[in-house]
Amino acid sequence: GRALLSPLRGAPRALRGLAAGPEMHFGFQRVTEEERREKIYQVFESVAKRYDVMNDSMTLGIHRVWKDILVHKMNPSPGTLLLDVAGGTGDIAFRFINYVRSVRERQLQRKLKQHQNLSWQEIFENYQEDKFNSLGDSQVVVCDINREMLKVGKQKAQHLGYSEGLSWVLGNAEELPFDDDKFDVYTIAFGIRNVTRIDLALQEAYRVLKPGGRFLCLEFSHVSNPLLSRLYDLYSFQVIPVLGEVIAGDWKSYQYLVESIRQFPPQEELKAMIEDAGFFKVDYENLNFGIVAIHSGFKL
């Protein structure tokens, strides 16, 4: 390999950069775009099976509450078409299905209350018909770049009994395998910081959303309180990789996950990027003092 490198070694820096592509962060390392894609793929391949356990231990279970809040903020109605990107574990998809089902249930109860004078037979038929379509044409498409993560999500879906209104697609956030103007809502939860080109992912989110569609992103963000920030750093860098080693036998992957959180653009910066992609009414809500934030925007 060395002989091949020698002509480049004397070459000017600019030329060397061109040959390898622009450098990027992989955690705190500098790597090329291709290397970063490959390394991130390996991280998620290696953590897929222990991902849920690890999320619980890393966030003390709070990631579940954050995901609940995201779906409540979305407030989907029956008939909503959702695309959940980097959602291989199914966490957002299952919550979405539960939420839509409970909205349908309430609608059904109201409908039956209004029809006090229906015969028992009519009520029964009405109920059966609605029960059969418990999602009211809602669909959620889970798109993930990583086969292992999708496999884990599918197994969970089977185990938990989710099948109706749910599909799984292998695809890259930076070039989504979907038509324009297709979805009502696009979500990405703890996925956007692992995308190599955030700007491309945001443009794609914009492209696949219908006019009037909503973009929602849940991601680790930046803590403004200095004392909390120090404690959080201490926990992140001293505790989390150790947990990774103990729980998943994988120190390096969790070290990367922590570093990738620190390299991620802060709230205002991400907001500007989302606006650059064409979204309107972009805002964000900090949860737990900015440990995570939910960014929201609309395609008009």
Side-chain angles (χ1 to χ4, degrees), residues 4 21 42 62 78 97 121 144 192 209 217 251 255 289 294:
L4 279 173
Q42 285 163 358
I62 303 169
I97 290 172
Q121 186 62 32
D144 203 297
I192 204 160
L209 276 170
C217 166
W251 177 290
Q255 180 75 23
F289 307 101
I294 297 176

Side-chain angles (χ1 to χ4, degrees), residues 236-281:
S236 299
F237 289 103
Q238 309 299 324
V239 180
I240 288 178
V242 178
L243 283 175
E245 187 55 45
V246 171
I247 290 167
D250 190 348
W251 177 290
K252 276 194 6 224
S253 291
Y254 289 98
Q255 180 75 23
Y256 158 72
L257 290 175
V258 169
E259 291 176 0
S260 71
I261 291 168
R262 291 304 177 279
Q263 293 293 3
F264 191 68
Q267 288 88 330
E268 283 293 334
E269 211 177 298
L270 182 60
K271 180 185 174 187
M273 291 172 84
I274 296 167
E275 286 169 342
D276 287 346
F279 288 101
F280 287 89
K281 270 195 70 176

Side-chain angles (χ1 to χ4, degrees), residues 64-194:
R64 294 166 183 269
V65 179
W66 295 333
K67 287 165 182 167
D68 288 341
I69 293 170
L70 178 70
V71 174
H72 272 268
K73 204 174 166 74
M74 185 197 311
N75 188 17
S77 51
T80 300
L81 270 179
L82 168 66
L83 173 64
D84 183 36
V85 175
T89 55
D91 281 8
I92 302 302
F94 305 152
R95 282 171 172 76
F96 169 81
I97 290 172
N98 291 347
Y99 194 96
V100 172
R101 271 184 191 156
S102 68
V103 172
R104 283 284 290 177
E105 272 295 306
R106 285 200 299 277
Q107 285 177 351
L108 194 55
Q109 298 298 333
R110 275 205 302 276
K111 196 163 130 189
L112 291 177
K113 275 203 185 93
Q114 282 161 7
H115 297 287
Q116 292 292 344
N117 53 354
L118 286 182
S119 73
W120 177 85
Q121 186 62 32
E122 286 170 315
I123 287 177
F124 180 73
E125 278 165 13
N126 241 331
Y127 197 76
Q128 285 307 97
E129 192 183 307
D130 282 326
K131 201 70 186 140
F132 181 67
N133 187 3
S134 72
L135 284 175
D137 301 325
S138 284
Q139 288 275 333
V140 51
V141 177
V142 177
C143 179
D144 203 297
I145 197 168
N146 197 294
R147 274 180 207 284
E148 276 305 303
M149 294 292 273
L150 281 173
K151 209 163 87 184
V152 170
K154 282 180 188 169
Q155 284 167 350
K156 263 169 67 180
Q158 240 175 350
H159 177 67
L160 296 166
Y162 293 103
S163 59
E164 177 200 9
L166 176 61
S167 46
W168 306 85
V169 176
L170 189 69
N172 183 348
E174 297 167 52
E175 34 184 337
L176 292 169
F178 306 108
D179 295 339
D180 299 2
D181 306 334
K182 190 172 164 60
F183 295 95
D184 299 305
V185 186
Y186 170 112
T187 50
I188 185 163
F190 303 118
I192 204 160
R193 73 175 196 284
N194 299 308

